[in-house]
Amino acid sequence: MRYPLSPISFIFSLFPLSAYAQALCNGHAELCSRQYSNITQIGTHDSAFVGTMPTDNQEVNITAQLDAGIRFLQAQSHLDGSGSLNLCHTTCMEKDAGPLSDYLTDLKIWLDANPNEVVTLLLTNGDNVNISLFDTAFTISNLNKYTYTPPTSPLGLSAWPTLNELIGNNTRLIAFLDTGAAPSVHYILDEFTYFFETPFDVTDPKFAECTLDRPKGATADGRMYIVNHFLDLSIGSVDIPDDSADDTTNAATGVGSIGAQVGICEGLYGRAPVGVLVDNFDRGNVFAAQDALNGLGGPIKGGGGGGDDGGVGGVISKGINDLKDVF
Ligand SMILES: *[C@@H]1O[C@H](CO)[C@@H](O)[C@H](O)[C@H]1NC(C)=O
Ligand SMILES: *[C@@H]1O[C@H](CO)[C@@H](O)[C@H](O)[C@H]1NC(C)=O
Ligand SMILES: *[C@@H]1O[C@H](CO)[C@@H](O)[C@H](O)[C@H]1NC(C)=O
Ligand SMILES: *[C@@H]1O[C@H](CO)[C@@H](O)[C@H](O)[C@H]1NC(C)=O
């Protein structure tokens, strides 16, 4: 050793960071051995539309969303005037958040820096463009390095890998497309083969239902599901996000909360959703709701590890606690 050891580096030398980082998956040790299909993640609806306009759905960019603990991103794509595949809200005239490949690059950089995190990406294909354009965006960003391809399509609910397995194989991105997926691009999965969704553009602040809306006429059996838990306000023929209700809509419990609507869902389907999409995830108490749905105690406070026990401070205090046990 060239340098004398400080007390902190002494602890790290006894308890290497990686040993503790390995023990957490999406911020919680308890999730490591759980199957992907049996874990609920809060998702950011229209994650790319960041700002304070009615066409915006989130207040911070996806890097900040992921840093805060979000592990499910939803984003809407359209062609812009020059034929580029961009993240646009209904049309690129209304809101253009830039090329899909830039967004995917931000996600790739985050996954590089956070090797124990498994992220779900749900893209919509609003202009029904050829899957090859999505393939190009994933290839340019090099995000396809991390994608998971199930061994069969569909994959039974009990056949999904655990987070440990996904992390071990470094296949930490599960990417879905709502329409236009094709076997030629095997790593972009057809959403409705694997999932059903509840209605979106809900205007009932009580969120008093959890019906299967899409795919039309399908059965819930064998499908994971996504709950659209974001509230809209109808103004004439236009629906805009009802930001004023975010604190109650994104609450963990109470009338119209995440917990209340998912309770209805669990009654109907006998299991929890894999995704619950929200607007302005940083309002309300979405991580308390997520932990409760996953049967975990304590709120996620954020940080790169995504968990209350995921930060360096947590690792150090664990090391100190372990030292106390040793001495
Ligand atoms: C995301 O937003 C943060 C501030 O919240 C900013 O520091 C960062 O540069 C942004 N990242 C990207 C990739 O735009
Ligand atoms: C997408 O484009 C490829 C060529 O790049 C073509 O082979 C394929 O048939 C197209 N798929 C659809 C669904 O049009
Ligand atoms: C992990 O990778 C190995 C080797 O490619 C493969 O056999 C195995 O099925 C993968 N596991 C999962 C859960 O994808
Ligand atoms: C699914 O998660 C619940 C906790 O929410 C747990 O009790 C159950 O054992 C899990 N099932 C599987 C197959 O992992």
Side-chain angles (χ1 to χ4, degrees):
M1 275 284 169
R2 208 171 140 198
Y3 300 104
L5 284 173
S6 70
I8 293 296
S9 47
F10 171 69
I11 289 167
F12 276 116
S13 69
L14 283 180
F15 304 96
L17 194 60
S18 60
Y20 284 100
Q22 280 305 324
L24 300 177
C25 305
N26 286 16
H28 292 280
E30 299 90 331
L31 297 182
C32 292
S33 58
R34 290 262 291 268
Q35 288 174 299
Y36 174 84
S37 51
N38 192 35
I39 297 170
T40 302
Q41 305 284 347
I42 298 295
T44 40
H45 169 241
D46 283 345
S47 58
F49 306 146
V50 176
T52 54
M53 301 291 286
T55 49
D56 294 321
N57 301 78
Q58 303 296 335
E59 297 184 293
V60 297
N61 63 33
I62 61 158
T63 304
Q65 292 170 27
L66 293 161
D67 282 346
I70 290 292
R71 296 293 176 268
F72 190 127
L73 304 170
Q74 187 264 357
Q76 195 184 121
S77 76
H78 291 273
L79 290 177
D80 77 357
S82 63
S84 166
L85 188 57
N86 284 18
L87 297 168
C88 299
H89 206 158
T90 315
T91 69
C92 293
M93 302 283 281
E94 184 178 315
K95 167 95 188 181
D96 186 344
L100 172 64
S101 56
D102 288 356
Y103 173 100
L104 298 183
T105 299
D106 290 346
L107 177 52
K108 157 74 167 50
I109 290 168
W110 192 88
L111 286 168
D112 288 344
N114 292 276
N116 271 63
E117 306 302 308
V118 175
V119 173
T120 301
L121 175 64
L122 171 57
L123 294 172
T124 67
N125 181 4
D127 293 340
N128 205 15
V129 305
N130 191 301
I131 186 70
S132 61
L133 269 69
F134 288 91
D135 187 27
T136 301
F138 273 74
T139 306
I140 289 172
S141 61
N142 212 13
L143 187 59
N144 52 0
K145 152 180 186 183
Y146 288 123
T147 44
Y148 169 72
T149 304
T152 62
S153 166
L155 187 65
L157 290 177
S158 61
W160 278 85
T162 63
L163 293 193
N164 253 341
E165 290 171 322
L166 292 168
I167 292 165
N169 273 12
N170 212 15
T171 49
R172 298 183 287 114
L173 180 71
I174 328 289
F176 297 94
L177 188 61
D178 72 334
T179 174
S184 56
V185 184
H186 59 87
Y187 63 87
I188 300 178
L189 313 179
D190 174 52
E191 178 194 357
F192 292 113
T193 297
Y194 299 93
F195 282 106
F196 72 88
E197 283 195 33
T198 66
F200 60 96
D201 290 346
V202 172
T203 54
D204 166 21
K206 293 196 173 71
F207 287 94
E209 58 138 310
C210 189
T211 44
L212 184 164
D213 183 52
R214 293 180 298 159
K216 296 284 176 217
T219 164
D221 294 347
R223 284 188 170 84
M224 302 180 286
Y225 70 100
I226 295 166
V227 177
N228 287 302
H229 190 81
F230 43 92
L231 187 65
D232 278 359
L233 205 56
S234 285
I235 300 180
S237 60
V238 183
D239 285 345
I240 64 163
D242 188 353
D243 293 346
S244 69
D246 284 338
D247 286 339
T248 46
T249 302
N250 292 351
T253 58
V255 175
S257 67
I258 294 168
Q261 189 185 15
V262 173
I264 296 169
C265 304
E266 289 177 329
L268 287 171
Y269 307 114
R271 51 196 160 88
V274 163
V276 180
L277 301 184
V278 301
D279 282 340
N280 297 325
F281 80 93
D282 48 349
R283 302 182 184 183
N285 209 351
V286 303
F287 295 116
Q290 176 176 282
D291 283 353
L293 293 170
N294 284 326
L296 304 171
I300 290 185
K301 293 196 195 82
D308 45 348
D309 40 7
V312 171
V315 172
I316 291 170
S317 67
K318 264 181 207 240
I320 289 169
N321 284 335
D322 288 354
L323 278 174
K324 280 190 193 131
D325 289 346
V326 172
F327 296 131

